[in-house]
Amino acid sequence: MVLEGTARALLRRLAVEQAQQRVPSMVAALVRGGETVWFGARGRVDGEPPTERTQYRVGSITKTFVATMVMRLRDEGLVDLLDPLGKHVPGTPLGDVTIAQLLSHTSGATAESPGAWWERTPGAPPADMLAALGPESVRHRPGRRYHYSNLGYALLGELVARKRSAPWERAVREEILEPLGMNDTTTRPRAPHATGYAVHPWADVLLPEPENDHGAMAPAGQLWSTAADLARWAAFVAGDTGGVLRPETLAEMREPAAVEDADVWTRGYGLGLQLARHAGPGGPRRLAGHTGSMPGFLATLWADPADGVAVLWMANTTSGVRGGFETDLLDILAKREPPLPAEWVPTPVDDDLLSLTGPWYWGPTPYMLRLLPRRGLSLTPVNGQGRASRFAAQADGTWLGLDGYYAGETLQVVRSPGGVHLDINTFVFTREPYDPAVPVPGGVDADGWR
């Protein structure tokens, strides 16, 4: 748990938001190391303060569960992310878009489904929705741009249902929620739950908002959950997958597939996860999670996999909670209780790797090679400017690039009578700038440096 002074500061920030923004009720929580370290609540639900077991609608956070199911199907070999949708759900105008494009909102699909405003009306069954799709269901060339699409996730829900021969919500419950112990996350409300309200803009009165089963559109935002359950999901997004998904698959979901601001991005989207950058008192954070809204409800969940910290909140209001509230909570925790770095301990390494450490040169540019756990390597430019990458050891004696320019590329250590060099996808790194004893592509001038 957090210190008493930290808890007071966090509760005050929550209280200010609830009071100033006139929110009927709000709950919030912070997760660190997979455990809830702070929970706060303000307002009333049926006359009582909400608890960690009070349900709220989480809106589009639902999409993260649907995306996780799709990635499970991918890992099982039942679908490929480059498969066109029509291979698995034939007969729609979006048959040529790929599963990856649907997951990352780059399919070009229209934002909403045909017919009435789906969030406020009873939903049609999948067959009726699919039959209603027409040319207007495609707004942009697939892959051209990020365009958020609730319809796209309805189609992914139908994909899950067809591959599992069961409704999408049953697959999510049996394969994700139950294994993670999230038994209070449901498609329809159960007591105790908050009622969704709209707050009048100019008076302190409430208007109840409708709640329906949204049928084919439910995968886009129908789930209800609790602070306790979302805390477990926040730990999942941070990396504690509990056997539900391979950690490397989750890491793939957190990679930016599309960005909202293409120059220096602050907001983006991976495969089913929203992404954000935040500069706080604890240093820059790269967050993954999702926001959610439905009539009468707002919700947000962000996790920082780098230090295992996550924040979440839920409220029963259609609008009003200010952007940045959740990062304010993260900043309070980071400022008052910064995490301690793990203790450094020496780690034995193999002599063959130890001999590779130190300076290397790509042409005249100096790089530094350092060892990482499990025979991993880190290659970074000495001046901090250039192509930096980490590499994971492979069974065949090579290394696979994990990030940066060399992500997915192979690093080989080449030993010859003239010496040793590194080959990274034809780029040669030598122990001396343009070492003439090493077969540098293009050769080295025989007269040497002058």
Side-chain angles (χ1 to χ4, degrees):
M1 303 301 290
V2 299
L3 300 174
E4 182 178 351
T6 306
R8 173 67 179 177
L10 292 166
L11 181 59
R12 185 181 187 281
R13 181 64 187 88
L14 173 61
V16 167
E17 195 69 20
Q18 188 268 339
Q20 292 184 356
Q21 300 305 110
R22 301 183 303 132
V23 180
S25 74
M26 284 187 78
V27 295
L30 285 168
V31 177
R32 176 178 273 177
E35 301 293 334
T36 300
V37 295
W38 174 78
F39 169 78
R42 297 292 286 183
R44 295 291 185 271
V45 171
D46 296 331
E48 299 292 334
T51 73
E52 290 183 85
R53 292 199 67 249
T54 302
Q55 272 195 333
Y56 291 77
R57 294 195 80 169
V58 299
S60 289
I61 295 176
T62 302
K63 293 180 174 70
T64 64
F65 295 91
V66 174
T68 299
M69 273 303 312
V70 173
M71 297 305 287
R72 283 177 58 88
L73 294 173
R74 193 284 304 270
D75 285 355
E76 294 171 20
L78 297 178
V79 301
D80 190 286
L81 296 187
L82 297 181
D83 284 347
L85 176 68
K87 180 177 178 179
H88 306 285
V89 184
T92 78
L94 293 106
D96 291 336
V97 306
T98 69
I99 294 172
Q101 288 170 335
L102 289 169
L103 285 169
S104 60
H105 296 288
T106 58
S107 69
T110 184
E112 314 300 345
S113 60
W117 186 352
W118 71 269
E119 295 173 318
R120 298 181 58 83
T121 55
D128 291 355
M129 183 200 71
L130 294 175
L133 299 180
E136 70 282 357
S137 300
V138 182
R139 300 294 187 182
H140 306 282
R141 171 175 53 80
R144 177 187 175 193
R145 60 177 297 167
Y146 170 82
H147 183 65
Y148 193 88
S149 175
N150 286 303
L151 173 61
Y153 269 77
L155 294 171
L156 288 173
E158 179 63 11
L159 167 70
V160 170
R162 295 193 182 194
K163 304 310 288 187
R164 286 295 190 245
S165 300
W168 72 273
E169 63 268 25
R170 184 192 302 174
V172 166
R173 184 180 69 251
E174 294 178 353
E175 300 184 36
I176 301 175
L177 299 176
E178 290 178 356
L180 294 179
M182 298 176 62
N183 298 317
D184 289 326
T185 300
T186 58
T187 53
R188 300 304 296 278
R190 63 97 181 105
H193 68 84
T195 298
Y197 293 109
V199 181
H200 196 284
W202 317 122
D204 293 333
V205 291
L206 305 176
L207 181 71
E209 292 273 29
E211 186 276 329
N212 297 287
D213 184 335
H214 297 295
M217 289 300 295
Q222 186 156 317
L223 287 180
W224 293 69
S225 192
T226 66
D229 271 16
L230 277 194
R232 179 63 188 93
W233 192 238
F236 176 95
V237 176
D240 181 7
T241 61
V244 166
L245 202 64
R246 296 187 304 156
E248 54 267 34
T249 299
L250 177 59
E252 182 181 358
M253 295 174 69
R254 295 192 301 245
E255 294 174 0
V259 295
E260 296 180 25
D261 43 358
D263 293 330
V264 180
W265 71 272
T266 57
R267 296 275 176 166
Y269 212 92
L271 299 176
L273 291 172
Q274 288 177 329
L275 308 172
R277 282 175 166 165
H278 171 65
R285 291 186 181 274
R286 185 159 161 172
L287 303 171
H290 219 290
T291 58
S293 68
M294 291 295 281
F297 292 93
L298 296 171
T300 290
L301 181 154
W302 289 113
D304 183 352
D307 63 4
V309 170
V311 61
L312 63 97
W313 61 264
M314 296 180 287
N316 60 331
T317 181
T318 297
S319 63
V321 180
R322 289 171 290 199
F325 166 64
E326 59 277 357
T327 50
D328 285 352
L329 298 181
L330 285 175
D331 290 349
I332 290 171
L333 182 65
K335 185 175 181 180
R336 289 175 171 265
E337 299 184 31
L340 298 177
E343 289 186 359
W344 178 86
V345 294
T347 304
V349 298
D350 297 335
D351 290 342
D352 65 320
L353 290 187
L354 192 59
S355 66
L356 296 177
T357 61
W360 291 86
Y361 295 87
W362 182 54
T365 306
Y367 277 71
M368 189 64 66
L369 189 143
R370 294 178 173 86
L371 301 186
L372 299 176
R374 297 180 293 278
R375 295 180 62 83
L377 303 176
S378 170
L379 190 64
T380 57
V382 170
N383 65 3
Q385 303 295 318
R387 298 165 176 173
S389 291
R390 295 172 302 136
F391 297 84
Q394 304 297 294
D396 62 359
T398 65
W399 283 261
L400 180 68
L402 299 178
D403 48 25
Y405 183 82
Y406 297 114
E409 306 291 357
T410 298
L411 181 154
Q412 301 180 67
V413 177
V414 181
R415 303 182 187 276
S416 65
V420 61
H421 67 274
L422 308 179
D423 184 306
I424 310 178
N425 194 25
T426 76
F427 286 172
V428 170
F429 289 73
T430 59
R431 278 299 197 182
E432 300 293 337
Y434 285 128
D435 185 350
V438 170
V440 176
V444 176
D445 191 295
D447 293 332
W449 296 91
R450 56 193 180 274

